[in-house]
Amino acid sequence: MFRRRLLDHFDRCRRDLPWRRDRTPYSVVVSEFMLQQTRVETVIPYYRRWLTRFPDWRSLAGASDNEVLLEWKGLGYYGRARNLHRSAKMVCGRFGGRLPDDPRQLRSLPGVGEYTAGAVASIAFGQTVPAVDGNVRRVLSRLLDVGDPTPARLRDEAARLIDPDRPGDFNEALMELGATVCTPRSPRCDACPVEEECGALAAGTVAERPSRSVRRRVRRVEYAVAVVVAEAPCPSDAAASHGGGGGDGGGHGDGGTGTPGYPRTLLVKRPPTGLLAGMWEFPALAALPDLGLTGTPGPRLDPVTHAFTHLRATYRPVIVRVAPAAPPPADHAWAHPDHLDEWALPVAQQKIGALLREWLRGNRRRASG
Ligand code: ADE
């Protein structure tokens, strides 16, 4: 009965999402990676652009790291982009261009854990395997009226309930119920197709299920950021390639001779591992002397904050005007402030870029007025 009610409701109310049309194993994997820690509404435009840019495993496997990061830019949790890219290379290499349908083999792909393997095996290949994400955990916790069900318990319950005739739809229907009806706050129990079977509703404990996990302590960090402004090319090196490239194979439209004109601003590439690996950012104020850049710190721009999973970062940008721009040090690049969208900049850095452009516009107005 549970299956029937859930699937009937899903058939009537399912959202028309782009990854539910023209499904291929590849498109299912892309959508599941993007949805791992991000809301459906945010994912939709990224998913569409991604499939236009990288329509299949081969095109993704053949892309550069930078091209991949640029397409993912703004979606956050960039490790997912790197894992998806590495997965595409494995599919094209080890698996001959075809995604395996066995959940165990799927789990050998980077970034594919138990949930994603279950979602992909059921949705793309019709295998009867459960897929328990955060939404499903909440639905089951309420259904069973258990505050903190173990992963094993959740897996067993989901495996017991799943419809072997429509396993992919069943899994998606559970996720959908959690996202649209059985929501964390103000669940719409009156609109729930399985209301009669809900243990927490009967016991009056819906609001307490699942029990809230202990909140992780969020570390606060502050960064003094140098927004370097170089007004003119270095006279001793006027023909050198200022900006762009950065030695990573390019993909930057303002590289070298692409965009004439100044000012330029300095970007640095983050290390290949760790938080925001391989992305670009404005350098730390404290790093300028080591780079041989001297300038007078000018006005401070507004602080920019960004919440990472266990980190709340405040960036305090300050304009530093420097003498003519020398060729960039290793892993650094001179970028055109109007073309920062061509760089893989994390969201907070894009905001600093916008503050820089605003400041430059104000400067121009002051200079001409
Ligand atoms: N969240 C994770 N996978 C999903 C899917 N296929 N549809 C909607 N939300 C999801």
Side-chain angles (χ1 to χ4, degrees), residues 15 17 19-20 23 31-32 35 40 115 123 133 172 175-176:
R15 290 173 291 178
L17 302 173
W19 48 90
R20 291 183 176 164
R23 255 179 188 154
S31 63
E32 290 302 336
L35 288 160
V40 163
Y115 161 75
I123 298 172
D133 69 353
E172 276 201 288
M175 296 175 205
E176 188 96 347

Side-chain angles (χ1 to χ4, degrees), residues 145-202:
D145 194 26
V146 175
D148 189 16
T150 63
R153 173 90 192 268
L154 291 168
R155 197 184 321 120
D156 290 349
E157 292 295 341
R160 183 175 65 77
L161 292 168
I162 194 169
D163 186 335
D165 295 326
R166 299 176 62 189
D169 285 348
F170 179 89
N171 284 338
E172 276 201 288
L174 270 188
M175 296 175 205
E176 188 96 347
L177 191 70
T180 60
V181 175
C182 196
T183 47
R185 280 174 294 277
S186 322
R188 299 164 44 226
C189 298
D190 51 344
C192 179
V194 290
E195 170 192 30
E196 286 169 33
E197 291 157 76
C198 182
L201 188 62

